[in-house]
Amino acid sequence: MKKWTRDTEINAPIEQVWKFLDGSLENMQKIMPQVVEHKPVIITEEVVGSVYRQKYRE
């Protein structure tokens, strides 16, 4: 499995930023338009630690 890291500083309130990462495909595509599928694989009760499978359009 490939892994990569990248840091980006976002100058916005954390509540506004987290709205884009709520698990919905529509919100995910607002920040990453190349995502065409975003499905949960493992959902934890705490949400932290949940795993999603994504498909990207190149």
Side-chain angles (χ1 to χ4, degrees):
M1 176 169 50
K2 293 183 181 183
K3 292 186 179 187
W4 67 91
T5 61
R6 180 178 176 182
D7 293 335
T8 302
E9 187 172 325
I10 300 171
N11 188 14
I14 191 67
E15 297 82 15
Q16 184 180 354
V17 175
W18 278 114
K19 288 180 185 178
F20 292 107
L21 304 171
D22 66 359
S24 73
L25 179 61
E26 294 79 18
N27 283 339
M28 186 68 62
Q29 288 176 328
K30 290 178 184 175
I31 57 172
M32 296 188 302
Q34 69 277 17
V35 174
V36 294
E37 189 176 296
H38 182 73
K39 291 186 176 181
V41 176
I42 300 169
I43 301 293
T44 63
E45 281 188 36
E46 304 83 27
V47 181
V48 174
S50 296
V51 177
Y52 291 84
R53 177 171 288 129
Q54 294 179 336
K55 291 185 181 180
Y56 293 86
R57 177 182 55 238
E58 292 280 336

Short mmCIF file of all heavy atoms in Angstrom, two decimals:
data_model
loop_
_atom_site.label_atom_id
_atom_site.label_comp_id
_atom_site.label_asym_id
_atom_site.label_seq_id
_atom_site.Cartn_x
_atom_site.Cartn_y
_atom_site.Cartn_z
N MET A 1 0.84 -1.17 0.00
CA MET A 1 0.00 0.00 0.00
C MET A 1 0.90 1.24 0.00
O MET A 1 1.86 1.33 0.76
CB MET A 1 -0.90 -0.01 1.23
CG MET A 1 -1.73 1.23 1.34
SD MET A 1 -3.07 1.23 2.55
CE MET A 1 -2.30 0.69 4.04
N LYS A 2 0.59 2.20 -0.84
CA LYS A 2 1.35 3.44 -0.91
C LYS A 2 0.92 4.37 0.21
O LYS A 2 -0.24 4.41 0.58
CB LYS A 2 1.12 4.13 -2.24
CG LYS A 2 1.69 3.38 -3.41
CD LYS A 2 1.50 4.16 -4.68
CE LYS A 2 2.04 3.37 -5.85
NZ LYS A 2 1.93 4.11 -7.09
N LYS A 3 1.87 5.12 0.72
CA LYS A 3 1.59 6.12 1.75
C LYS A 3 2.35 7.38 1.39
O LYS A 3 3.43 7.33 0.84
CB LYS A 3 2.02 5.63 3.13
CG LYS A 3 1.21 4.48 3.65
CD LYS A 3 1.61 4.16 5.07
CE LYS A 3 0.76 3.02 5.59
NZ LYS A 3 0.99 2.77 7.01
N TRP A 4 1.75 8.51 1.72
CA TRP A 4 2.43 9.78 1.52
C TRP A 4 1.94 10.75 2.58
O TRP A 4 0.89 10.58 3.16
CB TRP A 4 2.23 10.32 0.11
CG TRP A 4 0.83 10.74 -0.20
CD1 TRP A 4 0.27 11.98 -0.04
CD2 TRP A 4 -0.23 9.91 -0.71
NE1 TRP A 4 -1.03 11.97 -0.42
CE2 TRP A 4 -1.37 10.72 -0.83
CE3 TRP A 4 -0.32 8.58 -1.06
CZ2 TRP A 4 -2.58 10.24 -1.30
CZ3 TRP A 4 -1.52 8.10 -1.53
CH2 TRP A 4 -2.63 8.92 -1.64
N THR A 5 2.72 11.77 2.82
CA THR A 5 2.34 12.81 3.77
C THR A 5 2.58 14.16 3.15
O THR A 5 3.44 14.34 2.30
CB THR A 5 3.13 12.70 5.08
OG1 THR A 5 4.51 12.88 4.79
CG2 THR A 5 2.90 11.37 5.77
N ARG A 6 1.79 15.12 3.60
CA ARG A 6 1.94 16.49 3.15
C ARG A 6 1.28 17.38 4.20
O ARG A 6 0.19 17.08 4.66
CB ARG A 6 1.27 16.68 1.80
CG ARG A 6 1.38 18.10 1.28
CD ARG A 6 0.75 18.22 -0.08
NE ARG A 6 0.79 19.60 -0.50
CZ ARG A 6 0.28 20.04 -1.62
NH1 ARG A 6 -0.31 19.20 -2.44
NH2 ARG A 6 0.35 21.30 -1.95
N ASP A 7 1.93 18.45 4.59
CA ASP A 7 1.38 19.39 5.56
C ASP A 7 0.90 20.64 4.84
O ASP A 7 1.59 21.15 3.94
CB ASP A 7 2.44 19.79 6.58
CG ASP A 7 2.86 18.64 7.47
OD1 ASP A 7 2.04 17.72 7.65
OD2 ASP A 7 3.98 18.68 7.99
N THR A 8 -0.27 21.11 5.24
CA THR A 8 -0.81 22.35 4.71
C THR A 8 -1.44 23.13 5.86
O THR A 8 -2.21 22.56 6.63
CB THR A 8 -1.90 22.07 3.64
OG1 THR A 8 -1.32 21.30 2.59
CG2 THR A 8 -2.44 23.37 3.06
N GLU A 9 -1.10 24.38 5.98
CA GLU A 9 -1.69 25.22 7.02
C GLU A 9 -2.92 25.93 6.44
O GLU A 9 -2.84 26.56 5.38
CB GLU A 9 -0.68 26.25 7.52
CG GLU A 9 -1.19 27.02 8.70
CD GLU A 9 -0.12 27.89 9.32
OE1 GLU A 9 1.05 27.49 9.33
OE2 GLU A 9 -0.48 28.99 9.79
N ILE A 10 -4.04 25.81 7.14
CA ILE A 10 -5.31 26.40 6.68
C ILE A 10 -5.68 27.50 7.66
O ILE A 10 -5.84 27.25 8.86
CB ILE A 10 -6.42 25.34 6.60
CG1 ILE A 10 -6.01 24.24 5.64
CG2 ILE A 10 -7.74 25.99 6.19
CD1 ILE A 10 -6.92 23.04 5.65
N ASN A 11 -5.83 28.71 7.17
CA ASN A 11 -6.17 29.85 8.01
C ASN A 11 -7.69 30.01 8.04
O ASN A 11 -8.27 30.83 7.34
CB ASN A 11 -5.49 31.11 7.48
CG ASN A 11 -5.65 32.27 8.43
OD1 ASN A 11 -6.03 32.11 9.58
ND2 ASN A 11 -5.37 33.47 7.95
N ALA A 12 -8.36 29.16 8.85
CA ALA A 12 -9.83 29.18 8.98
C ALA A 12 -10.20 28.53 10.31
O ALA A 12 -9.43 27.73 10.85
CB ALA A 12 -10.47 28.43 7.83
N PRO A 13 -11.39 28.83 10.82
CA PRO A 13 -11.85 28.17 12.05
C PRO A 13 -11.96 26.65 11.84
O PRO A 13 -12.40 26.19 10.79
CB PRO A 13 -13.23 28.78 12.30
CG PRO A 13 -13.26 30.04 11.50
CD PRO A 13 -12.35 29.82 10.33
N ILE A 14 -11.58 25.88 12.86
CA ILE A 14 -11.57 24.43 12.75
C ILE A 14 -12.96 23.87 12.44
O ILE A 14 -13.09 22.89 11.70
CB ILE A 14 -10.97 23.78 14.03
CG1 ILE A 14 -10.72 22.29 13.82
CG2 ILE A 14 -11.87 24.02 15.23
CD1 ILE A 14 -9.65 21.98 12.82
N GLU A 15 -14.02 24.48 12.96
CA GLU A 15 -15.38 24.00 12.69
C GLU A 15 -15.71 24.08 11.20
O GLU A 15 -16.35 23.21 10.64
CB GLU A 15 -16.41 24.81 13.48
CG GLU A 15 -16.29 24.70 14.99
CD GLU A 15 -15.21 25.62 15.57
OE1 GLU A 15 -14.74 26.54 14.87
OE2 GLU A 15 -14.83 25.37 16.73
N GLN A 16 -15.25 25.13 10.56
CA GLN A 16 -15.48 25.31 9.12
C GLN A 16 -14.72 24.26 8.31
O GLN A 16 -15.24 23.70 7.35
CB GLN A 16 -15.06 26.72 8.71
CG GLN A 16 -15.33 27.05 7.27
CD GLN A 16 -14.89 28.47 6.93
OE1 GLN A 16 -14.49 29.24 7.78
NE2 GLN A 16 -14.99 28.82 5.66
N VAL A 17 -13.50 23.98 8.71
CA VAL A 17 -12.67 23.01 7.99
C VAL A 17 -13.22 21.60 8.14
O VAL A 17 -13.31 20.85 7.16
CB VAL A 17 -11.20 23.08 8.49
CG1 VAL A 17 -10.36 21.99 7.85
CG2 VAL A 17 -10.61 24.46 8.22
N TRP A 18 -13.62 21.20 9.35
CA TRP A 18 -14.11 19.84 9.59
C TRP A 18 -15.40 19.53 8.84
O TRP A 18 -15.70 18.38 8.58
CB TRP A 18 -14.29 19.57 11.08
CG TRP A 18 -13.00 19.21 11.75
CD1 TRP A 18 -12.33 19.94 12.69
CD2 TRP A 18 -12.20 18.05 11.52
NE1 TRP A 18 -11.17 19.29 13.04
CE2 TRP A 18 -11.06 18.13 12.34
CE3 TRP A 18 -12.33 16.94 10.68
CZ2 TRP A 18 -10.07 17.16 12.36
CZ3 TRP A 18 -11.34 15.96 10.70
CH2 TRP A 18 -10.24 16.08 11.53
N LYS A 19 -16.17 20.56 8.46
CA LYS A 19 -17.39 20.33 7.68
C LYS A 19 -17.08 19.64 6.35
O LYS A 19 -17.88 18.89 5.83
CB LYS A 19 -18.12 21.65 7.42
CG LYS A 19 -18.79 22.22 8.62
CD LYS A 19 -19.48 23.53 8.30
CE LYS A 19 -20.05 24.17 9.54
NZ LYS A 19 -20.67 25.46 9.25
N PHE A 20 -15.90 19.90 5.80
CA PHE A 20 -15.51 19.29 4.52
C PHE A 20 -15.12 17.82 4.68
O PHE A 20 -15.04 17.08 3.72
CB PHE A 20 -14.35 20.05 3.89
CG PHE A 20 -14.73 21.42 3.43
CD1 PHE A 20 -14.30 22.55 4.11
CD2 PHE A 20 -15.53 21.60 2.30
CE1 PHE A 20 -14.65 23.81 3.68
CE2 PHE A 20 -15.89 22.86 1.87
CZ PHE A 20 -15.46 23.97 2.57
N LEU A 21 -14.86 17.39 5.91
CA LEU A 21 -14.40 16.03 6.16
C LEU A 21 -15.44 15.22 6.93
O LEU A 21 -15.10 14.35 7.72
CB LEU A 21 -13.08 16.08 6.92
CG LEU A 21 -11.97 16.89 6.25
CD1 LEU A 21 -10.79 17.05 7.16
CD2 LEU A 21 -11.57 16.24 4.93
N ASP A 22 -16.72 15.47 6.68
CA ASP A 22 -17.80 14.80 7.41
C ASP A 22 -18.15 13.43 6.84
O ASP A 22 -19.04 12.75 7.33
CB ASP A 22 -19.04 15.68 7.46
CG ASP A 22 -19.67 15.90 6.09
OD1 ASP A 22 -19.16 15.39 5.08
OD2 ASP A 22 -20.71 16.60 6.04
N GLY A 23 -17.46 12.99 5.80
CA GLY A 23 -17.72 11.67 5.22
C GLY A 23 -18.58 11.70 3.97
O GLY A 23 -18.69 10.69 3.28
N SER A 24 -19.17 12.85 3.64
CA SER A 24 -20.01 12.91 2.44
C SER A 24 -19.15 13.15 1.19
O SER A 24 -18.17 13.89 1.23
CB SER A 24 -21.06 14.01 2.55
OG SER A 24 -20.48 15.28 2.42
N LEU A 25 -19.51 12.51 0.11
CA LEU A 25 -18.78 12.66 -1.15
C LEU A 25 -18.83 14.10 -1.65
O LEU A 25 -17.84 14.64 -2.12
CB LEU A 25 -19.33 11.70 -2.21
CG LEU A 25 -18.68 11.78 -3.59
CD1 LEU A 25 -17.20 11.44 -3.51
CD2 LEU A 25 -19.38 10.85 -4.57
N GLU A 26 -19.99 14.73 -1.51
CA GLU A 26 -20.16 16.11 -2.00
C GLU A 26 -19.19 17.07 -1.32
O GLU A 26 -18.55 17.90 -1.98
CB GLU A 26 -21.60 16.60 -1.79
CG GLU A 26 -22.62 15.85 -2.62
CD GLU A 26 -22.99 14.48 -2.03
OE1 GLU A 26 -22.73 14.23 -0.84
OE2 GLU A 26 -23.51 13.66 -2.79
N ASN A 27 -19.07 16.98 0.01
CA ASN A 27 -18.15 17.87 0.72
C ASN A 27 -16.70 17.53 0.43
O ASN A 27 -15.85 18.40 0.32
CB ASN A 27 -18.42 17.84 2.22
CG ASN A 27 -19.64 18.65 2.58
OD1 ASN A 27 -20.07 19.52 1.84
ND2 ASN A 27 -20.22 18.36 3.72
N MET A 28 -16.40 16.23 0.29
CA MET A 28 -15.04 15.80 -0.03
C MET A 28 -14.61 16.37 -1.38
O MET A 28 -13.47 16.82 -1.56
CB MET A 28 -14.96 14.27 -0.04
CG MET A 28 -13.58 13.72 -0.23
SD MET A 28 -12.45 14.00 1.13
CE MET A 28 -13.25 13.12 2.44
N GLN A 29 -15.52 16.39 -2.35
CA GLN A 29 -15.19 16.88 -3.69
C GLN A 29 -14.98 18.38 -3.73
O GLN A 29 -14.35 18.89 -4.65
CB GLN A 29 -16.29 16.49 -4.67
CG GLN A 29 -16.28 15.00 -4.98
CD GLN A 29 -17.42 14.58 -5.87
OE1 GLN A 29 -18.51 15.14 -5.83
NE2 GLN A 29 -17.18 13.57 -6.68
N LYS A 30 -15.45 19.11 -2.72
CA LYS A 30 -15.20 20.55 -2.67
C LYS A 30 -13.72 20.86 -2.43
O LYS A 30 -13.23 21.89 -2.86
CB LYS A 30 -16.06 21.19 -1.58
CG LYS A 30 -17.53 21.21 -1.94
CD LYS A 30 -18.36 21.80 -0.82
CE LYS A 30 -19.84 21.73 -1.17
NZ LYS A 30 -20.67 22.18 -0.03
N ILE A 31 -13.03 19.97 -1.72
CA ILE A 31 -11.61 20.19 -1.46
C ILE A 31 -10.72 19.29 -2.30
O ILE A 31 -9.55 19.59 -2.50
CB ILE A 31 -11.27 20.05 0.04
CG1 ILE A 31 -11.68 18.68 0.57
CG2 ILE A 31 -11.91 21.15 0.84
CD1 ILE A 31 -11.22 18.40 1.99
N MET A 32 -11.28 18.16 -2.78
CA MET A 32 -10.53 17.22 -3.63
C MET A 32 -11.45 16.79 -4.78
O MET A 32 -12.07 15.72 -4.72
CB MET A 32 -10.06 16.01 -2.83
CG MET A 32 -9.09 16.36 -1.73
SD MET A 32 -8.34 14.93 -0.90
CE MET A 32 -9.74 14.05 -0.28
N PRO A 33 -11.58 17.61 -5.82
CA PRO A 33 -12.53 17.31 -6.90
C PRO A 33 -12.25 16.03 -7.67
O PRO A 33 -13.13 15.49 -8.32
CB PRO A 33 -12.44 18.53 -7.83
CG PRO A 33 -11.28 19.32 -7.38
CD PRO A 33 -10.88 18.86 -6.01
N GLN A 34 -11.04 15.50 -7.57
CA GLN A 34 -10.69 14.28 -8.29
C GLN A 34 -11.25 13.02 -7.61
O GLN A 34 -11.21 11.93 -8.19
CB GLN A 34 -9.18 14.16 -8.49
CG GLN A 34 -8.38 13.91 -7.23
CD GLN A 34 -8.05 15.14 -6.42
OE1 GLN A 34 -8.66 16.20 -6.59
NE2 GLN A 34 -7.10 15.03 -5.52
N VAL A 35 -11.79 13.13 -6.39
CA VAL A 35 -12.39 11.97 -5.71
C VAL A 35 -13.74 11.66 -6.36
O VAL A 35 -14.60 12.52 -6.47
CB VAL A 35 -12.59 12.26 -4.20
CG1 VAL A 35 -13.34 11.12 -3.54
CG2 VAL A 35 -11.25 12.46 -3.52
N VAL A 36 -13.90 10.43 -6.82
CA VAL A 36 -15.17 10.03 -7.46
C VAL A 36 -15.94 9.03 -6.61
O VAL A 36 -17.12 8.78 -6.87
CB VAL A 36 -14.94 9.45 -8.88
CG1 VAL A 36 -14.41 10.53 -9.81
CG2 VAL A 36 -14.02 8.25 -8.85
N GLU A 37 -15.30 8.46 -5.60
CA GLU A 37 -15.98 7.53 -4.69
C GLU A 37 -15.34 7.61 -3.32
O GLU A 37 -14.13 7.69 -3.19
CB GLU A 37 -15.88 6.11 -5.23
CG GLU A 37 -16.72 5.11 -4.49
CD GLU A 37 -16.66 3.73 -5.13
OE1 GLU A 37 -17.13 3.59 -6.28
OE2 GLU A 37 -16.12 2.82 -4.47
N HIS A 38 -16.18 7.60 -2.29
CA HIS A 38 -15.71 7.72 -0.90
C HIS A 38 -16.61 6.83 -0.05
O HIS A 38 -17.71 7.22 0.32
CB HIS A 38 -15.79 9.19 -0.47
CG HIS A 38 -15.29 9.45 0.91
ND1 HIS A 38 -13.96 9.44 1.23
CD2 HIS A 38 -15.95 9.75 2.05
CE1 HIS A 38 -13.82 9.72 2.51
NE2 HIS A 38 -15.02 9.91 3.03
N LYS A 39 -16.16 5.58 0.22
CA LYS A 39 -16.99 4.61 0.94
C LYS A 39 -16.32 4.19 2.25
O LYS A 39 -15.11 3.98 2.30
CB LYS A 39 -17.18 3.35 0.09
CG LYS A 39 -18.03 3.57 -1.12
CD LYS A 39 -18.29 2.26 -1.83
CE LYS A 39 -19.23 2.47 -3.00
NZ LYS A 39 -19.51 1.20 -3.69
N PRO A 40 -17.13 4.06 3.31
CA PRO A 40 -16.57 3.61 4.58
C PRO A 40 -16.20 2.12 4.53
O PRO A 40 -16.91 1.32 3.96
CB PRO A 40 -17.69 3.85 5.58
CG PRO A 40 -18.94 3.90 4.77
CD PRO A 40 -18.54 4.38 3.41
N VAL A 41 -15.06 1.79 5.12
CA VAL A 41 -14.62 0.40 5.25
C VAL A 41 -14.81 -0.04 6.70
O VAL A 41 -15.38 -1.08 6.97
CB VAL A 41 -13.14 0.25 4.83
CG1 VAL A 41 -12.64 -1.17 5.06
CG2 VAL A 41 -12.96 0.65 3.38
N ILE A 42 -14.33 0.79 7.63
CA ILE A 42 -14.49 0.54 9.06
C ILE A 42 -14.92 1.86 9.71
O ILE A 42 -14.24 2.87 9.56
CB ILE A 42 -13.17 0.07 9.71
CG1 ILE A 42 -12.68 -1.22 9.07
CG2 ILE A 42 -13.33 -0.09 11.22
CD1 ILE A 42 -11.27 -1.61 9.48
N ILE A 43 -16.05 1.85 10.41
CA ILE A 43 -16.52 3.03 11.13
C ILE A 43 -16.43 2.73 12.63
O ILE A 43 -17.02 1.77 13.10
CB ILE A 43 -17.97 3.39 10.76
CG1 ILE A 43 -18.10 3.64 9.26
CG2 ILE A 43 -18.45 4.59 11.56
CD1 ILE A 43 -17.38 4.87 8.78
N THR A 44 -15.71 3.56 13.36
CA THR A 44 -15.61 3.39 14.81
C THR A 44 -16.65 4.27 15.49
O THR A 44 -17.13 5.25 14.91
CB THR A 44 -14.21 3.78 15.31
OG1 THR A 44 -13.99 5.16 15.06
CG2 THR A 44 -13.12 2.95 14.65
N GLU A 45 -17.00 3.93 16.72
CA GLU A 45 -17.97 4.73 17.48
C GLU A 45 -17.46 6.15 17.69
O GLU A 45 -18.24 7.10 17.67
CB GLU A 45 -18.27 4.08 18.83
CG GLU A 45 -19.23 2.94 18.75
CD GLU A 45 -19.64 2.46 20.14
OE1 GLU A 45 -19.77 3.29 21.05
OE2 GLU A 45 -19.82 1.25 20.30
N GLU A 46 -16.16 6.29 17.90
CA GLU A 46 -15.58 7.60 18.17
C GLU A 46 -15.34 8.39 16.89
O GLU A 46 -14.95 9.54 16.94
CB GLU A 46 -14.24 7.45 18.90
CG GLU A 46 -14.30 6.66 20.18
CD GLU A 46 -14.24 5.16 19.95
OE1 GLU A 46 -13.68 4.72 18.93
OE2 GLU A 46 -14.78 4.42 20.78
N VAL A 47 -15.52 7.78 15.74
CA VAL A 47 -15.25 8.32 14.41
C VAL A 47 -13.75 8.38 14.14
O VAL A 47 -13.30 8.00 13.08
CB VAL A 47 -15.92 9.69 14.16
CG1 VAL A 47 -15.64 10.19 12.76
CG2 VAL A 47 -17.42 9.61 14.39
N VAL A 48 -12.97 8.81 15.14
CA VAL A 48 -11.51 8.81 14.99
C VAL A 48 -11.06 7.38 14.81
O VAL A 48 -11.45 6.49 15.56
CB VAL A 48 -10.84 9.43 16.23
CG1 VAL A 48 -9.33 9.31 16.13
CG2 VAL A 48 -11.26 10.88 16.38
N GLY A 49 -10.27 7.10 13.79
CA GLY A 49 -9.81 5.76 13.51
C GLY A 49 -10.64 5.06 12.44
O GLY A 49 -10.31 3.95 12.04
N SER A 50 -11.71 5.70 11.96
CA SER A 50 -12.51 5.13 10.88
C SER A 50 -11.67 5.06 9.60
O SER A 50 -10.74 5.85 9.41
CB SER A 50 -13.76 5.98 10.62
OG SER A 50 -14.59 5.96 11.75
N VAL A 51 -11.99 4.11 8.73
CA VAL A 51 -11.24 3.91 7.50
C VAL A 51 -12.19 4.02 6.31
O VAL A 51 -13.28 3.45 6.34
CB VAL A 51 -10.56 2.51 7.49
CG1 VAL A 51 -9.83 2.26 6.19
CG2 VAL A 51 -9.62 2.37 8.68
N TYR A 52 -11.77 4.76 5.28
CA TYR A 52 -12.57 4.94 4.07
C TYR A 52 -11.75 4.52 2.86
O TYR A 52 -10.54 4.63 2.84
CB TYR A 52 -12.98 6.41 3.90
CG TYR A 52 -13.98 6.89 4.92
CD1 TYR A 52 -13.57 7.33 6.15
CD2 TYR A 52 -15.33 6.88 4.63
CE1 TYR A 52 -14.50 7.76 7.10
CE2 TYR A 52 -16.26 7.31 5.55
CZ TYR A 52 -15.84 7.75 6.79
OH TYR A 52 -16.75 8.17 7.72
N ARG A 53 -12.43 4.02 1.85
CA ARG A 53 -11.78 3.69 0.57
C ARG A 53 -12.22 4.77 -0.43
O ARG A 53 -13.39 5.04 -0.59
CB ARG A 53 -12.22 2.31 0.07
CG ARG A 53 -11.63 1.98 -1.30
CD ARG A 53 -11.89 0.54 -1.69
NE ARG A 53 -11.02 -0.30 -0.85
CZ ARG A 53 -11.45 -1.35 -0.15
NH1 ARG A 53 -12.69 -1.70 -0.17
NH2 ARG A 53 -10.60 -2.05 0.60
N GLN A 54 -11.24 5.33 -1.10
CA GLN A 54 -11.52 6.39 -2.09
C GLN A 54 -11.04 5.97 -3.47
O GLN A 54 -10.04 5.28 -3.59
CB GLN A 54 -10.84 7.70 -1.70
CG GLN A 54 -11.38 8.31 -0.44
CD GLN A 54 -10.65 9.60 -0.10
OE1 GLN A 54 -9.52 9.82 -0.50
NE2 GLN A 54 -11.31 10.45 0.66
N LYS A 55 -11.77 6.41 -4.47
CA LYS A 55 -11.33 6.27 -5.85
C LYS A 55 -11.13 7.66 -6.42
O LYS A 55 -11.92 8.57 -6.16
CB LYS A 55 -12.38 5.52 -6.68
CG LYS A 55 -12.49 4.06 -6.31
CD LYS A 55 -13.45 3.35 -7.24
CE LYS A 55 -13.58 1.89 -6.85
NZ LYS A 55 -14.51 1.17 -7.74
N TYR A 56 -10.07 7.79 -7.19
CA TYR A 56 -9.69 9.09 -7.78
C TYR A 56 -9.74 9.02 -9.30
O TYR A 56 -9.47 7.99 -9.90
CB TYR A 56 -8.26 9.47 -7.37
CG TYR A 56 -8.10 9.76 -5.91
CD1 TYR A 56 -7.86 8.74 -5.00
CD2 TYR A 56 -8.18 11.05 -5.45
CE1 TYR A 56 -7.70 9.00 -3.65
CE2 TYR A 56 -8.03 11.34 -4.10
CZ TYR A 56 -7.79 10.31 -3.21
OH TYR A 56 -7.64 10.58 -1.88
N ARG A 57 -10.06 10.15 -9.89
CA ARG A 57 -10.00 10.30 -11.34
C ARG A 57 -8.70 11.02 -11.66
O ARG A 57 -8.41 12.09 -11.14
CB ARG A 57 -11.20 11.12 -11.83
CG ARG A 57 -11.20 11.39 -13.31
CD ARG A 57 -12.38 12.24 -13.75
NE ARG A 57 -12.45 13.48 -12.98
CZ ARG A 57 -13.50 13.85 -12.23
NH1 ARG A 57 -14.57 13.11 -12.16
NH2 ARG A 57 -13.48 14.98 -11.56
N GLU A 58 -7.88 10.42 -12.52
CA GLU A 58 -6.61 11.03 -12.93
C GLU A 58 -6.82 11.92 -14.13
O GLU A 58 -7.62 11.66 -14.97
CB GLU A 58 -5.60 9.96 -13.29
CG GLU A 58 -5.15 9.14 -12.10
CD GLU A 58 -4.10 9.83 -11.26
OE1 GLU A 58 -3.38 10.70 -11.78
OE2 GLU A 58 -4.00 9.51 -10.08
#
